Amino acid sequence: MIKNLVIVESPAKAKTIEGYLGKDFIVKSSFGHVRDLPKDNNAIDIKNGFKPTYVVSADKKEIIAQLKKLAKEAEIVWLASDDDREGEAISWHLSEALNLNDAKTRRIVFREITKNAILNAIESPRAIDINRVNAQQARRVLDRLVGFELSPILWKKIKTGLSAGRVQSVAVRLVVEREREIEKFKAESAFKVVAFLTMDGKKLEAELPTRFKTQAEAQAFLENCKGAEYTVENVEKKPTKRSPAAPFTTSTLQQEASRKMGYSVAQTMNLAQKLYEAGKISYMRTDSTLLSQEAINNAATEITRAFGEDYAKTRQYKTKSGSAQEAHEAIRPTDFNAKQGSEDRSEQRLYELIWKRAIASQMADAVIEKTTATIGISTLPNTKLVATGEVVTFEGFLKVYIESKDDGEQNDDIKGMLPPLAVGRVLQLDRLQATQRFSRPAPRYTEASLVKKLEEMGIGRPSTYAPTISTIQKRGYVEKDNREGKERAYQVLTLAQDQLHTETRTEITGAEKSKLFPTDMAMVVNDFLEDYFPTIIDYSFTAKVEEEFDQIASGKKQWEKMLENFYGPFHETIESSQHIERSAVSGARELGTDPVTGKKVLAKLGRFGPYVQLGEENEEKTEKPTYASLRKGQFLESISLEEGLELFKLPRNIGLFEDKEMTAAIGRFGPFIKHEGKFYSLPKQYDPFTVNAEEAIAIIEGKRKADAEKCIKTFAENPDVQVLNGRFGPYIVVSKKNVKIPKGKEPSELTLEECLVLAEQTPDKPARGGFKKKAVAEKPEKEAPKKKAAPKKKTAATTKKAVTASKKK
């Protein structure tokens, strides 16, 4: 007889908790969600109050059977899934799927996996919060309705396989609008004047507060400064304070991990999940900046021990998000005394970031003395230069942590000290420089800055940020990419020793790293939704829906009524969209006429992406058009006729190698060299329009060498079997199956029969079945696919046939 059965979502969480509980407790994992809506038209009964039908996932039937057996034997079943709406829904689904009765079922919650937290939770169990469950059901049902009804419209009107979703489409809209804003932006220049001065061998810089719009104005100013004397007219010292940032929420953790360590949003959440399940940090899905009094006291103790009493200043931060659940905490270490969170380097780096941010939040303000010196120019009495410097008089929290900034945000770095200055002191001019600077457009989003924008607009919640960012990339609407900048000339005017010099310098502008770029498909779909389904991608509407979910969770709103209010107008719009012509939303443009052939040049969106087309097929089908793919960074809506015609220069003959022609072209997967029917990817530093024969030969020979080193052994009688060198050492490939080589076996001496026997002994890889709990964003659904006959599974028997066939040969 089992006394207590505890059920959690993940095996790692189960293992940690089991270590804290005695022999009277058995801890098991449900491996994430156990039930979901079926992928057919019977999932939601719209006429009967949007009643959902749930089915146990195929890969969870065995788990449910095992848990059911254990639950029957247990005196008490403790449902210990995460303390958020998704976790509450998992507990409810488990209760339903296992047919648990209320008398022997307890719901327990905790925000950290420590012994005290677990034991305290068991001392204060509660019932399942059906309001939170209903909020999660409402999200799931609404997102299914949107995806299930809207995605097929996109299939019919634009392209098969497309999807739309309530939050994903809004996120795509933000990226599209930012790209168009950048495309339309016209940079304006101005001249910034800086004086490089010295005093007793010590250097300082002073700026002119105003900028000149033209080179002529800047030059006139420098001319007027010839023979001038530079005198300190005023020195003002002012103490300022800088306060630490609040401890992390989900959003701010994702942003800072991206800025400081280059982690993607999904990577950050994956690492944080592991740290949480190992009992090292508090729950990582939160929009609260609060810390418990116990955590504040522990932080103060650690700060006093490590830095002294002067460095400790406890404080509580007010949560900015109106939707934040104040009972929840910010992300923090479970033990402030522990500097080591994990043996894994990536996990440890994230742990250190969380530790530093949480500790810094309870430390004293930094005290900074800011010095501002006003410097007069004798030849221009009404014009002043200003020099500023800062010195930290008390480090406070800066001893531990400084918050980073996104592109385009003001940097808070401490400025350097000024040398001791006295009023009336004359300074020596080294040089006076006017440099042409250009205005910049709003920066493209990174994953983290897009999360920040969504949070600011009230769109999505901590559990949905990472899945949303991942979804828009997987669906082909957004690409995370690096882009090379372009060279730009700028002017520098320098006055030194009363001589004025002008020179032209160059700089690289517009270079991007890990930024989000919309695809042409994103632009076409976004415009279609804006024209025909404006509500779905309306920012305020999407934020209002999130607020309604919050009201359902707090018991202030009925979820069926909320769905009814949404679905009526939405479904009417779906019905009225049937008349839209496919050609009206294709994104196709006529660019003009080719001056050489007189044929039309069109830009279109095809199965493999955007392309340009030269000419059209005639009625007799004797003449066919020519096609060329658009290059990275080109868009259907903005490509010019000249740019389009340039693309037809590919494929391009670049010479002979081994008496065979080499051609450069751009394909579905990027630029390449083709030689003897084989394709060689063109490295980033080469351009298919300019790559020469010598460079192409080097690329081909390099690839051949790499392939030769990779291949250890092949078998002429069965080319499907190979012995290869991989990242983790030698292995065997039989068809598409990877097979390990046992220790002691020399890879180069393996026979064909040995390879096939080893393949037979290696089990087929099981399908990945959602063993890891994932946060649920809206899931854009597609129409239920027609049932196909299941493909024959590869088994040991089929491998035996391969062995027999080989022997016959």
Side-chain angles (χ1 to χ4, degrees), residues 710 713-715 718-726 730-741 750 752 755-756 759 794:
K710 182 181 177 182
K713 193 170 188 179
T714 57
F715 303 93
N718 191 340
D720 286 344
V721 181
Q722 293 176 296
V723 183
L724 303 176
N725 245 325
Y731 66 102
I732 302 164
V733 175
V734 178
S735 295
K736 291 183 179 179
K737 184 178 186 178
N738 293 346
V739 181
K740 281 185 179 179
I741 298 172
L750 285 166
L752 175 60
C755 291
L756 292 169
K794 189 175 178 183

Side-chain angles (χ1 to χ4, degrees), residues 793-807:
K793 212 173 185 182
K794 189 175 178 183
T795 64
T798 57
T799 315
K800 273 185 181 176
K801 285 180 184 175
V803 175
T804 309
S806 175
K807 283 178 179 176

Side-chain angles (χ1 to χ4, degrees), residues 25-77:
F25 287 82
I26 289 178
V27 187
K28 293 292 178 184
S29 168
S30 69
F31 293 88
H33 291 271
V34 294
R35 300 198 310 173
D36 199 5
L37 300 169
K39 292 187 179 294
D40 58 34
N41 286 312
N42 302 317
I44 301 162
D45 187 349
I46 294 167
K47 292 178 181 175
N48 192 17
F50 300 90
K51 185 179 178 182
T53 297
Y54 294 106
V55 293
V56 174
S57 313
D59 60 331
K60 297 297 171 69
K61 286 182 178 176
E62 191 178 334
I63 293 165
I64 287 294
Q66 291 169 1
L67 292 175
K68 213 176 237 185
K69 185 175 180 293
L70 292 170
K72 278 183 182 177
E73 296 173 16
E75 290 179 18
I76 299 177
V77 177

Side-chain angles (χ1 to χ4, degrees), residues 183-204:
E183 194 73 27
K184 290 175 184 174
F185 183 80
K186 302 293 181 191
E188 293 181 355
S189 71
F191 285 79
K192 175 184 177 182
V193 177
V194 179
F196 296 86
L197 304 155
T198 59
M199 185 194 75
D200 298 335
K202 294 177 181 177
K203 297 178 179 180
L204 72 148

